Amino acid sequence: MNEKFYEKYSPDEQEAFVLIQQTLGASPFENQWEMLTTTLGMVFCTNGKVDTKRGRLNWLITEEERSSQNTWNRFKKGQICRMKVRKLLDKYVPKNVAPEEFNAWCVVDVLEQKVSCPQLEEVWEAYNQPVIIEDEVLGKLTLNRDFEMFEGSFQWNETEISLVLEVDAQDRSTWKTTCNTARSMVSELEKWDQDMRAFSAKELTSLANEWMEEDDESTSPITEKIFAERISLSELAFPFEDGFTAYYEDDDMFWGHTIEVCGSLEHGIERANIVG
């Protein structure tokens, strides 16, 4: 047992039924690996309390276990397990999150790998119900619960623009906030597009010429005007907290990389760079 890992958690063990959302990955911890699985709800065996807040499960594995498919398949989507867990101590909760909202636990022991629990089965059924918003400006938006975002697309200047709106799937007020931000920008997209093209050209034209020289192309230098004309909008993304990110295709000026333009409605365009 790695004491450094378990000292972050309460010594009190609790037995609970746990509904699995998905296993996200592993991160290094000392000479082992810390696995992370997200949860959709818990029912505590001692008092029958039902908690449907999103949660996190962590446990340690060895390097050999990390390479085993059995480790990654231990907890699957929709699986309900009976296990012993310990809650993360408040002092280890990230500073920007209230302890009661950061629902994190470590796995002490899995008592039953797959069990029935009517309360959690209802949660899973509700989780899988499709959620669709029909918006006059944004079109049809479908909630992707796994990634907590609405996804859609719309036609603009004879081009299909992908649309991603990040939300807290359990907090509908974030849906409204993000939709309002997206709607404001899309309603004035002609102006935003012109401004983002001009900003990107100012920031990245010199770099585009450097890339062209490295590619040994004997072509005329790219001007800011040409740069702005060559790039094309492909996606808009809106985090629920604030701001936007626009993605532009580079017309091979950066060998197929994407141009990312970030900013907010309040402060305007803030930066442009290449990604991917």
Side-chain angles (χ1 to χ4, degrees), residues 209-270:
N209 282 304
E210 291 177 15
W211 282 55
M212 184 177 65
E213 290 172 5
E214 289 179 15
D215 204 28
D216 294 327
E217 288 192 11
S218 56
T219 57
S220 301
I222 300 169
T223 65
E224 289 187 12
K225 181 176 183 297
I226 292 172
F227 185 102
E229 291 173 347
R230 288 178 63 176
I231 65 176
S232 56
L233 181 65
S234 61
E235 181 177 324
L236 291 171
F238 299 88
F240 74 80
E241 293 177 343
D242 188 26
F244 64 80
T245 301
Y247 297 96
Y248 281 80
E249 295 179 0
D250 73 332
D251 195 30
D252 284 333
M253 289 185 288
F254 298 109
W255 306 345
H257 287 269
T258 298
I259 296 169
E260 177 187 75
V261 185
C262 303
S264 67
L265 298 186
E266 181 180 358
H267 300 292
I269 304 163
E270 297 170 354

Side-chain angles (χ1 to χ4, degrees), residues 72-140:
W72 295 93
N73 290 334
R74 185 184 190 189
F75 300 125
K76 298 180 179 180
K77 286 183 179 182
Q79 182 178 341
I80 299 174
C81 310
R82 184 170 68 90
M83 60 178 69
K84 288 184 178 179
V85 293
R86 288 163 50 181
K87 187 163 179 53
L88 184 71
L89 295 172
D90 287 354
K91 65 180 180 180
Y92 294 105
V93 172
K95 287 185 169 48
N96 61 334
V97 183
E100 61 271 17
E101 294 300 321
F102 197 74
N103 193 25
W105 305 77
C106 74
V107 178
V108 178
D109 189 19
V110 177
L111 304 175
E112 290 183 89
Q113 194 71 21
K114 190 174 182 181
V115 295
S116 175
C117 177
Q119 298 99 318
L120 294 181
E121 288 164 9
E122 288 182 11
V123 172
W124 181 243
E125 183 178 353
Y127 178 82
N128 283 288
Q129 291 298 314
V131 175
I132 296 172
I133 294 175
E134 296 281 358
D135 187 272
E136 291 183 1
V137 175
L138 305 176
K140 181 179 177 181

Side-chain angles (χ1 to χ4, degrees), residues 1-6 26-35 59-66:
M1 178 177 285
N2 191 316
E3 293 301 328
K4 261 194 172 179
F5 172 78
Y6 288 101
S27 57
F29 186 90
E30 300 289 313
N31 60 344
Q32 294 180 278
W33 291 85
E34 183 176 352
M35 292 289 293
W59 74 98
L60 288 180
I61 59 171
T62 64
E63 177 66 39
E64 182 179 355
E65 288 172 327
R66 189 173 76 98

Side-chain angles (χ1 to χ4, degrees), residues 15 53 57 78 98 128 154 173 182 185 202 210 224 233 240:
E15 186 177 322
K53 288 199 303 288
L57 288 178
N128 283 288
F154 62 94
S173 69
M185 186 173 188
K202 185 177 180 181
E210 291 177 15
E224 289 187 12
L233 181 65
F240 74 80

Side-chain angles (χ1 to χ4, degrees), residues 16-17 19 40-53 103 117-123:
F17 296 99
L19 172 60
L40 296 172
M42 303 174 76
V43 176
F44 295 91
C45 298
T46 53
N47 56 16
K49 178 186 174 184
V50 179
D51 184 353
T52 57
K53 288 199 303 288
N103 193 25
C117 177
Q119 298 99 318
L120 294 181
E121 288 164 9
E122 288 182 11
V123 172

